[in-house]
């Protein structure tokens, strides 16, 4: 039985490796951000959610954009 998850076959290993290596050119993960912030970050963290969500809670030092 095919489901929506298995309807499209997985990518070949080399294509998956290239995809995930390139992904970090555009984004980072939350652990790396947390770790960098605790050590004195050399970047500005922008929170691009709505003002209401920013007001409910955000990473200390984040700027609402």
């Amino acid at each position: 039985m095919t489901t929506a998850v298995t309807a499209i076959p997985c990518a070949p290993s080399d294509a998956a490796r290239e995809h995930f290596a390139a992904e970090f050119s555009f984004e980072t993960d939350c652990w790396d951000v947390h770790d960098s912030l605790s050590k004195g970050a050399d970047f500005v963290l922008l929170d691009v959610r709505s003002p209401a969500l920013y007001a409910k809670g955000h990473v200390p030092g984040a700027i609402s954009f």
Side-chain angles (χ1 to χ4, degrees):
M1 171 185 210
T2 301
T3 67
V5 173
T6 60
I8 300 172
C10 63
S13 296
D14 57 334
R17 188 171 26 264
E18 288 176 25
H19 167 78
F20 289 108
E23 183 177 30
F24 288 117
S25 297
F26 301 98
E27 59 186 65
T28 188
D29 63 30
C30 59
W31 174 255
D32 289 338
V33 172
H34 170 77
D35 188 54
S36 294
L37 287 172
S38 70
K39 294 176 179 173
D42 57 351
F43 57 88
V44 174
L45 183 60
L46 298 176
D47 190 325
V48 297
R49 300 172 302 150
S50 70
L53 287 175
Y54 179 85
K56 285 180 108 174
H58 56 273
V59 174
I63 298 170
S64 180
F65 185 65

